[in-house]
Amino acid sequence: EAAVTQSPRSKVAVTGGKVTLSCHQTNNHDYMYWYRQDTGHGLRLIHYSYVADSTEKGDIPDGYKASRPSQENFSLILELASLSQTAVYFCASRPTGSNSDYTFGSGTRLLVI
Amino acid sequence: QQQVRQSPQSLTVWEGETAILNCSYEDSTFDYFPWYHQFPGESPALLIAIRPVSNKKEDGRFTIFFNKREKKFSLHIADSQPGDSATYFCAASTGNTGKLIFGLGTTLQVQP
């Protein structure tokens, strides 16, 4: 069954520390996305990628880096975690072709203290 | 700047009533308009979607009404059930990147 798997499911990080959120998909999808969800803000796009070894900035990329080493894997990196980055992070994948549906992962709940 | 505006922020209806959730957008290049629902602790899941070539899309109790001229679309949930209680997000995207712009969500509560 096609799936998007995120790890870890939850994490507590210290301010100023480095955090890496991982996403793995078995859908054979070209597109992958990282969104964050905050109460009152819906979902906002951080980074996305349409091919391995290439990433694109989304709407709120500041403070985040992304890495797509293979079609299956897409990571989100917080080099210097800050309190404001406490949120739930969702990874999603989508096949090439306009208006195709996303497959979302289960989310990673990040608490920065 | 919020490109997709959603209202109301919260909505309570009685079981059996029709719930109406509204969205508007600004970018006329948007060409795909999905609605997602999300239950607590879960990820968003696609409910129904429409493209601007149509002004109505039905799937069971769920109907999208789309007004291209006014740049508005709405989700009607007929015969609402307590199990429909969730947060609903409208969204819009354009082009091949498929980047979805989400509204802020409507929390729907269906009272039995």
Side-chain angles (χ1 to χ4, degrees), chain A residues 31 33 35 37 94 99 102 105, chain B residues 32 38 43 96-98 100:
Chain A
Y31 286 85
Y33 307 85
Y35 283 85
Q37 184 172 34
R94 185 183 71 87
N99 304 334
Y102 282 33
Chain B
Y32 178 64
Q38 185 179 32
S43 55
N96 289 330
T97 64
L100 282 174

Side-chain angles (χ1 to χ4, degrees), chain A residues 9 31 33 35 37 40-45 48 57-59 90 94 97-102 104-107 109, chain B residues 2-3 9 31-32 36 38 41-46 51 89 93 95-105:
Chain A
R9 287 299 309 271
Y31 286 85
Y33 307 85
Y35 283 85
Q37 184 172 34
H41 285 278
L43 286 89
R44 294 179 290 174
L45 180 64
Y48 68 101
K57 293 181 179 179
D59 298 320
F90 287 101
R94 185 183 71 87
S98 61
N99 304 334
S100 301
D101 185 31
Y102 282 33
F104 277 94
S106 299
R109 188 172 298 273
Chain B
Q2 187 67 27
Q3 296 186 54
Q9 184 175 355
D31 57 7
Y32 178 64
Y36 285 80
Q38 185 179 32
E42 297 185 10
S43 55
L46 179 68
R51 303 179 188 186
F89 293 97
S93 72
N96 289 330
T97 64
K99 296 188 299 179
L100 282 174
I101 308 298
F102 285 85
L104 298 184

Side-chain angles (χ1 to χ4, degrees), chain B residues 9-71:
Chain B
Q9 184 175 355
S10 63
L11 177 65
T12 300
V13 300
W14 293 104
E15 183 175 356
E17 292 185 332
T18 296
I20 300 175
L21 291 68
N22 301 297
C23 278
S24 63
Y25 63 97
E26 299 172 3
D27 190 339
S28 58
T29 66
F30 286 148
D31 57 7
Y32 178 64
F33 302 88
W35 282 90
Y36 285 80
H37 61 175
Q38 185 179 32
F39 297 98
E42 297 185 10
S43 55
L46 179 68
L47 192 58
I48 187 172
I50 194 168
R51 303 179 188 186
V53 293
S54 304
N55 55 24
K56 182 180 178 181
K57 177 81 174 290
E58 289 181 89
D59 185 357
R61 297 185 294 109
F62 303 94
T63 303
I64 298 177
F65 292 93
F66 185 81
N67 186 321
K68 186 175 182 178
R69 181 178 62 83
E70 295 186 6
K71 296 182 181 176

Side-chain angles (χ1 to χ4, degrees), chain B residues 73-88:
Chain B
F73 58 110
S74 60
L75 175 68
H76 291 223
I77 305 174
D79 188 26
S80 296
Q81 301 297 310
D84 295 330
S85 297
T87 299
Y88 291 78

